[in-house]
Amino acid sequence: MAMVESNVVVVVIVVVVVVVMLLLIFLLILLFFKPWRFFLSSSSTRSRTIKVDDLDRPLVSDDEDLIRYQSNELRRDYDLEGASLQNEGHFRSPRTHGLIYKQRLPTVSHHTTQGDSLVDVISDPPEDVLFGQTLRRPLSTDQISEIQKHGRQSLEDEKFQEFVFKDILDQRSCLTLEVISGPSRGLRCSVQSTNTSRLPLTLGRVSPSDLLLKDSEVSGKHAMINWNSNKMKWELIDMGSLNGTLLNSQSINHPDSGSRHWGYPVELASGNVITLGTTSKLYVHITSQKESQIPFGVGVASDPMAVRRGGKKLPMEDVCYYQWPLPGVDKFGLFGICDGHGGAGAAKYASKILPEKVAAILSDSLKRERVLSLGDASDVLRDAFSQTEACMNHNYEGCTATVLLVWTDGDEHFFAQCANVGDSACVMNVDGKQVKMTEDHRITSYSERLRIEETGEPLREGETRLCGLNLGRMLGDKFLKQQDSRFSSVPYISQVVHINQASGTFALLASDGFWDVIGVKKAIQLVLQTRERYSTDESSAEKIANYLLNEARTLRTKDNTSIVFLDFDTNRISCKVES
């Protein structure tokens, strides 16, 4: 009996141990798989189900452009970073910083389907319509009908409507982006608010992005910029980038961190800095287009060409710029390139001061009329260079300066005259003939050696540098000029070219990084071939400038390269870009 009782006790203990172990295993399974999640998820899903009859007129923003962007995004897939992302499942109401949700839509018929589908909502016209902050309360439909009924449409009303229309046109804007840091430092691009064929402007690492940034931290399609015609503002939108987009150090990504959803649009202002990833920074410059209609094509392109001989970094010291018209001088415009050495400070300063000096000289009506009557601006250009040199206090920095002054006599006759110091060159093609507009001021140039010889201190045989510089003329470098009087800032002045817009005339200004690898004859051939290809494109001048820049890159130029291209054979409205 004792033996049987002991066996029973052992069995009971074993059973208890097994039951306890099973309970522990069951508890571990519950903790690991958390099955209650499914019940909570289904209940929350049920609570979020919206019936068509229960739809309560949603708040909708006035930003129709964003709705168009995101609806377009729903229709197509984007291949970002090589991974195909499927269309977003449901439509999100857009939001933006500073956007006022001031309109509720009336109840209308809605079209909904189960699952991931769109809800189509049709709205009435908004109560408040803004026209560039000028017309805040336009006449209502009832008021207009009342005026028409009683025949009170006065001359004042017509003038007011004309004023509003003109004001809207005057709100046209030009956006310029310049890459100021990162592997693509020095790249620039410009777009006008009226050029809808080029909007939105996309920023990314792969084609067909409009601004290609060769930065591994930038997504294939990283961000976009578009013109909001309702607000008359430029807006930046993150396109679900991997490494994020910052505006003035503030993230503009979608609030759902880790998602690849598009962010909400954020307004841009001149002077903003956009950061893509961590190293690529873009400076934003926005100018008004109120009085800046250029009756010929203008294209600007530049690249530091930093990838050279094993990827050695090369600072960007070129500055290219143009202004049409010059401030206070509506018949004149200036186009130029400054190539710095010892730093970019002298080039940036000269590119700012030169247009100001030219404009100040031409603001004198007697001097301006003299230029128009004689068809020659030699004195103006010479004085502008002299005054600019006098203003510069750059002792250990200097720059080349090549400027092309273009003016019209008011009868659709155009004239161009060039002035330069250094080795940034300008060439024109007039009636199929090549016209050299500049002189090379390198020490190895025959004309420059001859000038130095006339100072009484000729260069020695085989000497190719003066105090370590290969240039005999430049702006700045005050210390070197004090040490050696053979340096000069007196520019070469070209002859005046009379431009017939029907003759296919064009002008090409470029820094020495371009001319080091492409000769004048070859450059003209490339322009003629490319212009034929883009003959029907209103932005052909800009595309030609970028094509020439790519050719220099392909030929592995080892210096900063900047290009300003003027096509007098087109009638394209452009905008003023101030450096």
Side-chain angles (χ1 to χ4, degrees):
M1 286 293 294
M3 181 67 67
V4 172
E5 289 177 359
S6 64
N7 289 338
V8 170
V9 171
V10 170
V11 170
V12 170
I13 292 172
V14 170
V15 170
V16 170
V17 170
V18 171
V19 170
V20 170
M21 291 180 65
L22 290 174
L23 287 173
L24 289 173
I25 293 172
F26 181 71
L27 288 174
L28 289 173
I29 292 174
L30 286 176
L31 290 173
F32 183 77
F33 289 101
K34 300 178 181 179
W36 56 82
R37 291 181 304 168
F38 300 103
F39 297 101
L40 293 176
S41 175
S42 60
S43 62
S44 63
T45 302
R46 285 193 299 271
S47 67
R48 289 196 301 268
T49 302
I50 301 175
K51 297 180 180 180
V52 174
D53 295 336
D54 295 333
L55 280 174
D56 180 21
R57 299 176 293 180
L59 287 172
V60 181
S61 79
D62 295 334
D63 192 356
E64 298 176 358
D65 291 338
L66 174 66
I67 296 175
R68 185 167 58 253
Y69 308 155
Q70 296 197 354
S71 63
N72 288 339
E73 183 68 8
L74 290 168
R75 297 191 192 101
R76 55 184 179 182
D77 299 338
Y78 279 98
D79 186 8
L80 300 178
E81 298 296 316
S84 178
L85 297 180
Q86 296 302 318
N87 292 338
E88 203 172 324
H90 46 273
F91 188 79
R92 300 187 307 277
S93 178
R95 281 168 281 177
T96 181
H97 298 287
L99 180 62
I100 301 174
Y101 297 89
K102 58 187 177 182
Q103 176 189 0
R104 279 189 177 271
L105 300 182
T107 305
V108 293
S109 61
H110 305 275
H111 305 283
T112 61
T113 57
Q114 298 297 323
D116 297 332
S117 60
L118 295 178
V119 178
D120 297 327
V121 184
I122 303 174
S123 67
D124 289 340
E127 181 180 338
D128 295 331
V129 182
L130 300 181
F131 290 101
Q133 300 180 349
T134 299
L135 180 59
R136 292 191 175 275
R137 279 276 186 184
L139 295 175
S140 66
T141 305
D142 294 335
Q143 288 172 317
I144 293 175
S145 300
E146 189 72 11
I147 290 173
Q148 290 176 344
K149 178 180 179 180
H150 297 283
R152 299 176 184 174
Q153 187 65 40
S154 65
L155 181 62
E156 287 77 14
D157 292 329
E158 294 178 0
K159 289 183 177 180
F160 180 71
Q161 291 177 3
E162 182 180 350
F163 166 76
V164 170
F165 180 71
K166 181 180 183 299
D167 184 75
I168 294 172
L169 291 180
D170 286 348
Q171 294 297 326
R172 290 175 297 183
S173 175
C174 181
L175 171 80
T176 299
L177 299 177
E178 180 178 1
V179 184
I180 58 175
S181 71
S184 298
R185 180 182 175 187
L187 281 179
R188 294 180 62 178
C189 74
S190 299
V191 66
Q192 303 166 55
S193 60
T194 54
N195 194 349
T196 56
S197 63
R198 296 192 58 220
L199 292 173
L201 184 74
T202 54
L203 318 175
R205 198 187 69 252
V206 299
S207 184
S209 295
D210 299 298
L211 184 62
L212 288 174
L213 300 169
K214 299 305 180 183
D215 185 345
S216 59
E217 293 186 354
V218 174
S219 298
K221 285 185 174 63
H222 197 107
M224 73 157 54
I225 297 175
N226 208 352
W227 173 252
N228 187 326
S229 58
N230 291 330
K231 297 181 179 180
M232 296 292 184
K233 296 287 185 180
W234 292 98
E235 293 181 336
L236 172 68
I237 305 171
D238 180 84
M239 298 172 69
S241 63
L242 284 173
N243 294 310
T245 303
L246 303 179
L247 180 63
N248 300 327
S249 302
Q250 299 294 320
S251 174
I252 64 164
N253 290 59
H254 191 276
D256 183 5
S257 60
S259 74
R260 297 298 297 275
H261 298 158
W262 285 26
Y264 304 127
V266 181
E267 290 181 5
L268 289 174
S270 192
N272 286 167
V273 175
I274 302 170
T275 304
L276 307 182
T278 60
T279 61
S280 290
K281 297 181 184 293
L282 287 74
Y283 181 80
V284 178
H285 187 64
I286 299 173
T287 53
S288 171
Q289 195 184 331
K290 288 188 177 181
E291 53 176 353
S292 56
Q293 294 184 346
I294 304 183
F296 45 83
V298 179
V300 178
S302 61
D303 192 336
M305 301 297 175
V307 182
R308 49 172 266 185
R309 294 189 177 183
K312 179 182 176 182
K313 289 187 177 180
L314 186 66
M316 184 59 172
E317 297 174 337
D318 283 3
V319 178
C320 46
Y321 60 94
Y322 68 89
Q323 288 191 23
W324 180 285
L326 287 169
V329 192
D330 59 358
K331 294 182 180 180
F332 293 79
L334 196 72
F335 305 78
I337 290 177
C338 291
D339 181 359
H341 50 262
K348 290 181 178 179
Y349 185 80
S351 66
K352 177 179 182 295
I353 296 299
L354 263 171
E356 293 178 1
K357 296 301 181 184
V358 173
I361 295 170
L362 289 171
S363 64
D364 185 325
S365 60
L366 293 177
K367 294 181 179 179
R368 185 171 64 253
E369 290 303 321
R370 179 179 173 82
V371 172
L372 293 173
S373 61
L374 297 179
D376 188 286
S378 299
D379 293 341
V380 173
L381 293 170
R382 192 174 293 109
D383 290 348
F385 269 73
S386 176
Q387 293 178 26
T388 300
E389 172 69 10
C391 290
M392 297 183 70
N393 295 315
H394 297 78
N395 290 317
Y396 304 103
E397 290 185 18
C399 68
T400 72
T402 298
V403 299
L404 185 68
L405 182 65
V406 180
W407 69 92
T408 176
D409 60 5
D411 295 323
E412 298 185 355
H413 296 141
F414 286 86
F415 304 85
Q417 192 168 18
C418 194
N420 84 293
V421 291
D423 55 359
S424 296
C426 173
V427 63
M428 293 187 67
N429 188 67
V430 183
D431 291 320
K433 296 179 181 179
Q434 169 188 319
V435 179
K436 189 176 181 182
M437 302 292 287
T438 52
E439 188 178 80
D440 189 353
H441 295 148
R442 300 186 200 190
I443 300 299
T444 54
S445 168
Y446 172 77
S447 61
E448 193 59 17
R449 294 183 77 91
L450 187 61
R451 181 194 66 83
I452 293 174
E453 185 176 336
E454 292 174 352
T455 65
E457 298 181 57
L459 293 165
R460 296 188 300 272
E461 186 67 29
E463 191 175 6
T464 60
R465 289 183 177 268
L466 197 60
C467 296
L469 281 182
N470 68 342
L471 296 177
R473 301 194 212 186
M474 78 289 285
L475 296 178
D477 285 320
K478 293 300 181 71
F479 177 78
L480 292 180
K481 289 173 180 173
Q482 292 170 2
Q483 302 301 311
D484 196 321
S485 60
R486 291 177 291 181
F487 285 113
S488 174
S489 60
V490 178
Y492 167 82
I493 309 291
S494 75
Q495 296 295 316
V496 178
V497 173
H498 181 204
I499 300 168
N500 180 359
Q501 287 191 290
S503 65
T505 299
F506 63 81
L508 173 62
L509 293 81
S511 59
D512 61 329
F514 178 81
W515 302 113
D516 285 345
V517 293
I518 298 177
V520 172
K521 185 176 180 180
K522 176 66 173 177
I524 290 177
Q525 290 176 345
L526 290 173
V527 170
L528 293 175
Q529 293 170 4
T530 313
R531 189 163 65 171
E532 183 68 24
R533 184 186 310 169
Y534 298 120
S535 59
T536 60
D537 195 323
E538 66 176 6
S539 59
S540 61
E542 186 174 338
K543 292 187 176 180
I544 291 172
N546 280 284
Y547 179 80
L548 295 174
L549 184 71
N550 288 331
E551 283 295 308
R553 186 184 295 112
T554 301
L555 295 172
R556 302 184 65 79
T557 182
K558 298 179 177 65
D559 199 358
N560 301 156
T561 303
S562 295
I563 293 169
V564 178
F565 177 73
L566 286 71
D567 192 345
F568 295 98
D569 197 34
T570 62
N571 288 307
R572 185 178 73 90
I573 295 178
S574 185
C575 56
K576 176 176 64 178
V577 177
E578 300 176 4
S579 192

PDB file of all heavy atoms in Angstrom, residues 342-369:
ATOM      1  N   GLY A 342      42.365  82.906 -56.169  1.00  0.00           N
ATOM      2  CA  GLY A 342      42.657  83.209 -54.776  1.00  0.00           C
ATOM      3  C   GLY A 342      41.411  83.223 -53.918  1.00  0.00           C
ATOM      4  O   GLY A 342      41.464  83.575 -52.743  1.00  0.00           O
ATOM      5  N   GLY A 343      40.282  82.863 -54.485  1.00  0.00           N
ATOM      6  CA  GLY A 343      38.995  82.885 -53.792  1.00  0.00           C
ATOM      7  C   GLY A 343      37.921  83.467 -54.694  1.00  0.00           C
ATOM      8  O   GLY A 343      38.207  83.959 -55.790  1.00  0.00           O
ATOM      9  N   ALA A 344      36.675  83.401 -54.242  1.00  0.00           N
ATOM     10  CA  ALA A 344      35.550  83.882 -55.048  1.00  0.00           C
ATOM     11  C   ALA A 344      35.115  85.293 -54.660  1.00  0.00           C
ATOM     12  O   ALA A 344      34.220  85.854 -55.286  1.00  0.00           O
ATOM     13  CB  ALA A 344      34.364  82.931 -54.911  1.00  0.00           C
ATOM     14  N   GLY A 345      35.750  85.884 -53.639  1.00  0.00           N
ATOM     15  CA  GLY A 345      35.304  87.174 -53.139  1.00  0.00           C
ATOM     16  C   GLY A 345      35.376  88.287 -54.167  1.00  0.00           C
ATOM     17  O   GLY A 345      34.435  89.069 -54.321  1.00  0.00           O
ATOM     18  N   ALA A 346      36.499  88.385 -54.883  1.00  0.00           N
ATOM     19  CA  ALA A 346      36.660  89.453 -55.871  1.00  0.00           C
ATOM     20  C   ALA A 346      35.663  89.289 -57.009  1.00  0.00           C
ATOM     21  O   ALA A 346      35.094  90.270 -57.495  1.00  0.00           O
ATOM     22  CB  ALA A 346      38.094  89.456 -56.409  1.00  0.00           C
ATOM     23  N   ALA A 347      35.433  88.052 -57.453  1.00  0.00           N
ATOM     24  CA  ALA A 347      34.495  87.801 -58.554  1.00  0.00           C
ATOM     25  C   ALA A 347      33.074  88.180 -58.151  1.00  0.00           C
ATOM     26  O   ALA A 347      32.342  88.790 -58.935  1.00  0.00           O
ATOM     27  CB  ALA A 347      34.565  86.330 -58.973  1.00  0.00           C
ATOM     28  N   LYS A 348      32.673  87.830 -56.936  1.00  0.00           N
ATOM     29  CA  LYS A 348      31.323  88.164 -56.482  1.00  0.00           C
ATOM     30  C   LYS A 348      31.148  89.678 -56.357  1.00  0.00           C
ATOM     31  O   LYS A 348      30.112  90.228 -56.731  1.00  0.00           O
ATOM     32  CB  LYS A 348      31.044  87.483 -55.145  1.00  0.00           C
ATOM     33  CG  LYS A 348      30.903  85.967 -55.249  1.00  0.00           C
ATOM     34  CD  LYS A 348      30.608  85.347 -53.893  1.00  0.00           C
ATOM     35  CE  LYS A 348      30.424  83.837 -54.017  1.00  0.00           C
ATOM     36  NZ  LYS A 348      30.162  83.202 -52.700  1.00  0.00           N
ATOM     37  N   TYR A 349      32.175  90.339 -55.849  1.00  0.00           N
ATOM     38  CA  TYR A 349      32.081  91.786 -55.665  1.00  0.00           C
ATOM     39  C   TYR A 349      32.024  92.499 -57.015  1.00  0.00           C
ATOM     40  O   TYR A 349      31.193  93.384 -57.233  1.00  0.00           O
ATOM     41  CB  TYR A 349      33.284  92.276 -54.854  1.00  0.00           C
ATOM     42  CG  TYR A 349      33.217  93.747 -54.504  1.00  0.00           C
ATOM     43  CD1 TYR A 349      32.443  94.186 -53.443  1.00  0.00           C
ATOM     44  CD2 TYR A 349      33.924  94.694 -55.248  1.00  0.00           C
ATOM     45  CE1 TYR A 349      32.370  95.535 -53.111  1.00  0.00           C
ATOM     46  CE2 TYR A 349      33.858  96.039 -54.939  1.00  0.00           C
ATOM     47  CZ  TYR A 349      33.080  96.457 -53.863  1.00  0.00           C
ATOM     48  OH  TYR A 349      33.008  97.789 -53.562  1.00  0.00           O
ATOM     49  N   ALA A 350      32.906  92.097 -57.936  1.00  0.00           N
ATOM     50  CA  ALA A 350      32.935  92.740 -59.254  1.00  0.00           C
ATOM     51  C   ALA A 350      31.633  92.513 -60.011  1.00  0.00           C
ATOM     52  O   ALA A 350      31.140  93.422 -60.697  1.00  0.00           O
ATOM     53  CB  ALA A 350      34.113  92.211 -60.063  1.00  0.00           C
ATOM     54  N   SER A 351      31.054  91.317 -59.896  1.00  0.00           N
ATOM     55  CA  SER A 351      29.803  91.022 -60.608  1.00  0.00           C
ATOM     56  C   SER A 351      28.643  91.851 -60.067  1.00  0.00           C
ATOM     57  O   SER A 351      27.644  92.049 -60.764  1.00  0.00           O
ATOM     58  CB  SER A 351      29.480  89.532 -60.512  1.00  0.00           C
ATOM     59  OG  SER A 351      29.186  89.163 -59.174  1.00  0.00           O
ATOM     60  N   LYS A 352      28.755  92.328 -58.837  1.00  0.00           N
ATOM     61  CA  LYS A 352      27.719  93.186 -58.259  1.00  0.00           C
ATOM     62  C   LYS A 352      27.959  94.655 -58.618  1.00  0.00           C
ATOM     63  O   LYS A 352      27.019  95.388 -58.956  1.00  0.00           O
ATOM     64  CB  LYS A 352      27.701  93.009 -56.737  1.00  0.00           C
ATOM     65  CG  LYS A 352      26.714  93.911 -56.010  1.00  0.00           C
ATOM     66  CD  LYS A 352      26.752  93.653 -54.509  1.00  0.00           C
ATOM     67  CE  LYS A 352      25.738  94.516 -53.771  1.00  0.00           C
ATOM     68  NZ  LYS A 352      26.038  95.956 -53.872  1.00  0.00           N
ATOM     69  N   ILE A 353      29.234  95.091 -58.567  1.00  0.00           N
ATOM     70  CA  ILE A 353      29.550  96.501 -58.757  1.00  0.00           C
ATOM     71  C   ILE A 353      29.522  96.921 -60.224  1.00  0.00           C
ATOM     72  O   ILE A 353      29.049  98.018 -60.563  1.00  0.00           O
ATOM     73  CB  ILE A 353      30.932  96.815 -58.140  1.00  0.00           C
ATOM     74  CG1 ILE A 353      30.885  96.591 -56.626  1.00  0.00           C
ATOM     75  CG2 ILE A 353      31.356  98.249 -58.449  1.00  0.00           C
ATOM     76  CD1 ILE A 353      29.896  97.480 -55.904  1.00  0.00           C
ATOM     77  N   LEU A 354      30.011  96.068 -61.127  1.00  0.00           N
ATOM     78  CA  LEU A 354      30.078  96.448 -62.546  1.00  0.00           C
ATOM     79  C   LEU A 354      28.726  96.882 -63.111  1.00  0.00           C
ATOM     80  O   LEU A 354      28.640  97.947 -63.737  1.00  0.00           O
ATOM     81  CB  LEU A 354      30.673  95.303 -63.364  1.00  0.00           C
ATOM     82  CG  LEU A 354      32.169  95.403 -63.673  1.00  0.00           C
ATOM     83  CD1 LEU A 354      32.690  94.113 -64.295  1.00  0.00           C
ATOM     84  CD2 LEU A 354      32.461  96.580 -64.599  1.00  0.00           C
ATOM     85  N   PRO A 355      27.645  96.089 -62.927  1.00  0.00           N
ATOM     86  CA  PRO A 355      26.340  96.551 -63.444  1.00  0.00           C
ATOM     87  C   PRO A 355      25.892  97.863 -62.813  1.00  0.00           C
ATOM     88  O   PRO A 355      25.282  98.703 -63.493  1.00  0.00           O
ATOM     89  CB  PRO A 355      25.390  95.400 -63.084  1.00  0.00           C
ATOM     90  CG  PRO A 355      26.269  94.213 -62.910  1.00  0.00           C
ATOM     91  CD  PRO A 355      27.545  94.735 -62.346  1.00  0.00           C
ATOM     92  N   GLU A 356      26.198  98.044 -61.528  1.00  0.00           N
ATOM     93  CA  GLU A 356      25.807  99.282 -60.861  1.00  0.00           C
ATOM     94  C   GLU A 356      26.537 100.484 -61.462  1.00  0.00           C
ATOM     95  O   GLU A 356      25.936 101.550 -61.657  1.00  0.00           O
ATOM     96  CB  GLU A 356      26.101  99.177 -59.361  1.00  0.00           C
ATOM     97  CG  GLU A 356      25.238  98.160 -58.628  1.00  0.00           C
ATOM     98  CD  GLU A 356      25.592  98.062 -57.156  1.00  0.00           C
ATOM     99  OE1 GLU A 356      26.512  98.808 -56.720  1.00  0.00           O
ATOM    100  OE2 GLU A 356      24.968  97.254 -56.439  1.00  0.00           O
ATOM    101  N   LYS A 357      27.829 100.317 -61.760  1.00  0.00           N
ATOM    102  CA  LYS A 357      28.607 101.416 -62.328  1.00  0.00           C
ATOM    103  C   LYS A 357      28.142 101.746 -63.741  1.00  0.00           C
ATOM    104  O   LYS A 357      28.022 102.925 -64.107  1.00  0.00           O
ATOM    105  CB  LYS A 357      30.094 101.063 -62.321  1.00  0.00           C
ATOM    106  CG  LYS A 357      30.687 100.894 -60.927  1.00  0.00           C
ATOM    107  CD  LYS A 357      30.534 102.162 -60.098  1.00  0.00           C
ATOM    108  CE  LYS A 357      31.133 102.011 -58.712  1.00  0.00           C
ATOM    109  NZ  LYS A 357      30.897 103.214 -57.859  1.00  0.00           N
ATOM    110  N   VAL A 358      27.889 100.722 -64.540  1.00  0.00           N
ATOM    111  CA  VAL A 358      27.401 100.956 -65.905  1.00  0.00           C
ATOM    112  C   VAL A 358      26.062 101.681 -65.861  1.00  0.00           C
ATOM    113  O   VAL A 358      25.831 102.652 -66.609  1.00  0.00           O
ATOM    114  CB  VAL A 358      27.279  99.631 -66.685  1.00  0.00           C
ATOM    115  CG1 VAL A 358      26.617  99.859 -68.035  1.00  0.00           C
ATOM    116  CG2 VAL A 358      28.654  98.995 -66.879  1.00  0.00           C
ATOM    117  N   ALA A 359      25.165 101.235 -64.986  1.00  0.00           N
ATOM    118  CA  ALA A 359      23.842 101.863 -64.871  1.00  0.00           C
ATOM    119  C   ALA A 359      23.966 103.309 -64.393  1.00  0.00           C
ATOM    120  O   ALA A 359      23.248 104.196 -64.885  1.00  0.00           O
ATOM    121  CB  ALA A 359      22.965 101.062 -63.917  1.00  0.00           C
ATOM    122  N   ALA A 360      24.872 103.549 -63.442  1.00  0.00           N
ATOM    123  CA  ALA A 360      25.037 104.910 -62.920  1.00  0.00           C
ATOM    124  C   ALA A 360      25.553 105.852 -64.005  1.00  0.00           C
ATOM    125  O   ALA A 360      25.097 106.996 -64.121  1.00  0.00           O
ATOM    126  CB  ALA A 360      25.999 104.890 -61.730  1.00  0.00           C
ATOM    127  N   ILE A 361      26.490 105.375 -64.814  1.00  0.00           N
ATOM    128  CA  ILE A 361      27.029 106.208 -65.894  1.00  0.00           C
ATOM    129  C   ILE A 361      25.956 106.504 -66.933  1.00  0.00           C
ATOM    130  O   ILE A 361      25.793 107.645 -67.390  1.00  0.00           O
ATOM    131  CB  ILE A 361      28.247 105.523 -66.545  1.00  0.00           C
ATOM    132  CG1 ILE A 361      29.397 105.414 -65.525  1.00  0.00           C
ATOM    133  CG2 ILE A 361      28.714 106.295 -67.775  1.00  0.00           C
ATOM    134  CD1 ILE A 361      30.540 104.543 -65.994  1.00  0.00           C
ATOM    135  N   LEU A 362      25.177 105.486 -67.298  1.00  0.00           N
ATOM    136  CA  LEU A 362      24.147 105.659 -68.323  1.00  0.00           C
ATOM    137  C   LEU A 362      22.933 106.424 -67.820  1.00  0.00           C
ATOM    138  O   LEU A 362      22.085 106.831 -68.613  1.00  0.00           O
ATOM    139  CB  LEU A 362      23.718 104.290 -68.862  1.00  0.00           C
ATOM    140  CG  LEU A 362      24.750 103.569 -69.732  1.00  0.00           C
ATOM    141  CD1 LEU A 362      24.300 102.137 -70.017  1.00  0.00           C
ATOM    142  CD2 LEU A 362      24.972 104.320 -71.038  1.00  0.00           C
ATOM    143  N   SER A 363      22.822 106.580 -66.504  1.00  0.00           N
ATOM    144  CA  SER A 363      21.699 107.366 -65.972  1.00  0.00           C
ATOM    145  C   SER A 363      21.855 108.845 -66.309  1.00  0.00           C
ATOM    146  O   SER A 363      20.879 109.607 -66.236  1.00  0.00           O
ATOM    147  CB  SER A 363      21.604 107.179 -64.450  1.00  0.00           C
ATOM    148  OG  SER A 363      22.757 107.698 -63.812  1.00  0.00           O
ATOM    149  N   ASP A 364      23.055 109.252 -66.693  1.00  0.00           N
ATOM    150  CA  ASP A 364      23.293 110.601 -67.185  1.00  0.00           C
ATOM    151  C   ASP A 364      22.716 110.684 -68.598  1.00  0.00           C
ATOM    152  O   ASP A 364      23.194 110.005 -69.517  1.00  0.00           O
ATOM    153  CB  ASP A 364      24.793 110.902 -67.187  1.00  0.00           C
ATOM    154  CG  ASP A 364      25.106 112.341 -67.581  1.00  0.00           C
ATOM    155  OD1 ASP A 364      24.389 112.893 -68.439  1.00  0.00           O
ATOM    156  OD2 ASP A 364      26.074 112.901 -67.048  1.00  0.00           O
ATOM    157  N   SER A 365      21.711 111.486 -68.782  1.00  0.00           N
ATOM    158  CA  SER A 365      21.004 111.529 -70.070  1.00  0.00           C
ATOM    159  C   SER A 365      21.918 111.919 -71.226  1.00  0.00           C
ATOM    160  O   SER A 365      21.764 111.422 -72.346  1.00  0.00           O
ATOM    161  CB  SER A 365      19.814 112.489 -69.990  1.00  0.00           C
ATOM    162  OG  SER A 365      20.261 113.797 -69.667  1.00  0.00           O
ATOM    163  N   LEU A 366      22.884 112.814 -70.964  1.00  0.00           N
ATOM    164  CA  LEU A 366      23.797 113.221 -72.038  1.00  0.00           C
ATOM    165  C   LEU A 366      24.667 112.059 -72.491  1.00  0.00           C
ATOM    166  O   LEU A 366      24.858 111.836 -73.700  1.00  0.00           O
ATOM    167  CB  LEU A 366      24.672 114.394 -71.560  1.00  0.00           C
ATOM    168  CG  LEU A 366      23.939 115.719 -71.293  1.00  0.00           C
ATOM    169  CD1 LEU A 366      24.915 116.771 -70.769  1.00  0.00           C
ATOM    170  CD2 LEU A 366      23.269 116.212 -72.575  1.00  0.00           C
ATOM    171  N   LYS A 367      25.197 111.290 -71.535  1.00  0.00           N
ATOM    172  CA  LYS A 367      26.037 110.139 -71.890  1.00  0.00           C
ATOM    173  C   LYS A 367      25.210 109.054 -72.570  1.00  0.00           C
ATOM    174  O   LYS A 367      25.680 108.399 -73.506  1.00  0.00           O
ATOM    175  CB  LYS A 367      26.716 109.592 -70.642  1.00  0.00           C
ATOM    176  CG  LYS A 367      27.732 110.562 -70.035  1.00  0.00           C
ATOM    177  CD  LYS A 367      28.405 109.978 -68.800  1.00  0.00           C
ATOM    178  CE  LYS A 367      29.431 110.964 -68.238  1.00  0.00           C
ATOM    179  NZ  LYS A 367      30.097 110.437 -67.018  1.00  0.00           N
ATOM    180  N   ARG A 368      23.993 108.873 -72.091  1.00  0.00           N
ATOM    181  CA  ARG A 368      23.129 107.862 -72.695  1.00  0.00           C
ATOM    182  C   ARG A 368      22.774 108.232 -74.128  1.00  0.00           C
ATOM    183  O   ARG A 368      22.835 107.384 -75.033  1.00  0.00           O
ATOM    184  CB  ARG A 368      21.867 107.688 -71.851  1.00  0.00           C
ATOM    185  CG  ARG A 368      20.957 106.571 -72.334  1.00  0.00           C
ATOM    186  CD  ARG A 368      19.841 106.292 -71.353  1.00  0.00           C
ATOM    187  NE  ARG A 368      18.932 107.425 -71.203  1.00  0.00           N
ATOM    188  CZ  ARG A 368      18.874 108.216 -70.136  1.00  0.00           C
ATOM    189  NH1 ARG A 368      19.690 108.021 -69.109  1.00  0.00           N
ATOM    190  NH2 ARG A 368      18.003 109.214 -70.078  1.00  0.00           N
ATOM    191  N   GLU A 369      22.402 109.472 -74.351  1.00  0.00           N
ATOM    192  CA  GLU A 369      22.058 109.912 -75.699  1.00  0.00           C
ATOM    193  C   GLU A 369      23.271 109.868 -76.625  1.00  0.00           C
ATOM    194  O   GLU A 369      23.137 109.601 -77.821  1.00  0.00           O
ATOM    195  CB  GLU A 369      21.472 111.327 -75.656  1.00  0.00           C
ATOM    196  CG  GLU A 369      20.094 111.404 -75.025  1.00  0.00           C
ATOM    197  CD  GLU A 369      19.080 110.504 -75.713  1.00  0.00           C
ATOM    198  OE1 GLU A 369      19.128 110.415 -76.968  1.00  0.00           O
ATOM    199  OE2 GLU A 369      18.256 109.891 -75.014  1.00  0.00           O
TER     200      GLU A 369
END
